[in-house]
Amino acid sequence: MISAYLTTIPSPDRGVWHVGPIPIRAYALCIIAGIIVAIWWGERRWAARGGTKGTVVDLAVFAVPFGLVGGRLYHVLTDPELYFTEGKNPWNAFAIWDGGLGIWGAIALGAVGALIACRRKGIPLPAMADAIAPGIVVAQAIGRIGNYFNQELYGAHTDLPWGLEVYQRFNPEDPDNLLNGVATGHIPLPESPVHPTFLYELLWNLLVALLVVWADKRFKLGHGRVFALYVAGYTVGRGWIEMMRTDTANHILGLRVNVWTSILLFAGAVVYFVAAGRRGPRELPETLRSKDAPGPDETPVAASEEASASASASEEPEPAKVAAEAPAEKPAEDASSASAEEPKKTDES
């Protein structure tokens, strides 16, 4: 029994810590960390392709809020019984910090925000999607760590060595809100240990990121084909991992909604990947320059004015230099001696 326990993965006691009245949520921290990684990596990839530095950061101002709203909307629309049935609090639909973000909605609405930013910058959205694709899937992997702290999205019972131990959590202030509770005494749930499906997806996402980066470097993909490869690769893993999960979900024709979504998105990604390949080589670097970025031969206005002022100042002759170069005036005695040398007039009769 002891040896079996040592080969399992323990769950954290809690997913929320309080610093005074302020709750620090592991799920939120993981989402923020994932966003930072996606922006940082996307910025490097965009600049390496010839794009203007800082463009991905500007794009994130639109894409991230849109993505968070879209992710939450997808979750609420596909699982409305969690918020709008009898005994549930509808306002919890806005409690994004308690978990519940659908990646499909996040990508869809995040793409709308990205499109707005790209049009403002005058750059092609498919090329930007290619640059940020690996960072997005790594951000998803980091977000799954938040599911580990929330003790959610796991599978059925397993005797495998990497089974996850899940414990009963208690919340005296709100007995129905166990997500914010604390596991005291490490009392295992009846199904423990279970398949850590969030861990399976985390590892799969990292493999997809490696595949995408390798294929992009090997084949010089462009026109959104990197992003399509990410979608196809992710949905393959998400489909079979989704079927291992035991959390509550709506079904259509015997399959979970997210399984159907994975199938449809995989098919769409493959079709797009093939179709976009007919557009030829990847985008030229000059097409990735933001329209508000200075050209290669341009200098900022302030620097140009300063240079002009310096040039004007250098062209003005200095008083000492003028005096030194000016021709010297002839003294008065020179004039008198010159007149003395002229022939004298005489009065001859």
Side-chain angles (χ1 to χ4, degrees):
M1 180 67 179
I2 295 179
S3 60
Y5 177 80
L6 291 177
T7 57
T8 58
I9 304 172
S11 289
D13 292 339
R14 66 181 72 193
V16 183
W17 298 265
H18 288 81
V19 179
I22 302 175
I24 306 298
R25 303 178 185 276
Y27 183 83
L29 293 178
C30 291
I31 295 297
I32 293 172
I35 292 172
I36 292 174
V37 170
I39 294 174
W40 170 79
W41 197 2
E43 187 68 59
R44 290 174 61 90
R45 284 175 52 81
W46 182 251
R49 287 197 173 197
T52 307
K53 291 183 179 180
T55 302
V56 176
V57 176
D58 294 339
L59 177 139
V61 174
F62 290 87
V64 171
F66 273 72
L68 291 175
V69 172
R72 190 60 176 179
L73 277 175
Y74 180 89
H75 167 72
V76 173
L77 291 176
T78 53
D79 294 300
E81 67 280 357
L82 299 178
Y83 307 99
F84 304 111
T85 54
E86 185 179 355
K88 301 295 183 179
N89 183 2
W91 290 107
N92 286 339
F94 299 96
I96 191 173
W97 50 86
D98 283 340
L101 288 175
I103 184 60
W104 320 116
I107 295 296
L109 211 54
V112 174
L115 177 61
I116 295 173
C118 286
R119 288 196 171 180
R120 288 168 61 94
K121 293 286 185 180
I123 56 178
L125 176 62
M128 175 59 72
D130 286 343
I132 63 177
I136 290 178
V137 72
V138 170
Q140 291 175 235
I142 296 173
R144 286 308 181 199
I145 300 175
N147 300 138
Y148 171 62
F149 280 93
N150 279 356
Q151 199 173 248
E152 60 185 358
L153 306 189
Y154 50 80
H157 173 78
T158 180
D159 293 325
L160 293 172
W162 54 82
L164 176 72
E165 293 286 350
V166 284
Y167 309 120
Q168 295 184 27
R169 289 184 175 180
F170 303 94
N171 187 351
E173 298 179 359
D174 187 359
D176 294 330
N177 187 5
L178 298 181
L179 187 64
N180 294 325
V182 180
T184 57
H186 289 172
I187 304 173
L189 294 176
E191 63 270 27
S192 183
V194 296
H195 280 286
T197 50
F198 66 86
L199 178 60
Y200 299 163
E201 187 173 331
L202 184 158
L203 296 175
W204 180 264
N205 289 349
L206 295 180
L207 290 175
V208 170
L210 291 175
L211 170 66
V212 168
V213 171
W214 171 82
D216 187 27
K217 185 176 296 186
R218 173 68 175 80
F219 302 106
K220 304 296 181 184
L221 301 175
H223 305 289
R225 301 181 78 201
V226 177
F227 191 85
L229 182 60
Y230 142 65
V231 173
Y234 172 72
T235 51
V236 168
R238 177 63 186 268
W240 67 267
I241 294 172
E242 182 75 21
M243 290 188 288
M244 296 179 64
R245 286 167 43 173
T246 57
D247 53 300
T248 303
N250 292 317
H251 290 70
I252 299 177
L253 299 178
L255 292 178
R256 294 164 67 100
V257 171
N258 283 329
V259 175
W260 283 112
T261 305
S262 297
I263 294 172
L264 294 175
L265 287 178
F266 173 79
V270 171
V271 171
Y272 182 91
F273 185 88
V274 174
R278 300 172 183 173
R279 301 183 63 182
R282 66 164 49 170
E283 298 84 350
L284 296 175
E286 53 266 27
T287 65
L288 310 184
R289 300 286 299 174
S290 301
K291 63 182 181 181
D292 55 354
D297 299 328
E298 296 178 11
T299 53
V301 176
S304 177
E305 292 178 351
E306 184 178 349
S308 299
S310 301
S312 300
S314 62
E315 291 174 0
E316 294 179 0
E318 299 177 0
K321 186 176 181 180
V322 172
E325 294 179 354
E329 296 182 358
K330 294 182 180 181
E333 59 267 17
D334 292 345
S336 59
S337 61
S339 60
E341 292 176 356
E342 295 179 1
K344 294 182 180 180
K345 295 181 180 180
T346 57
D347 295 333
E348 293 180 355
S349 54

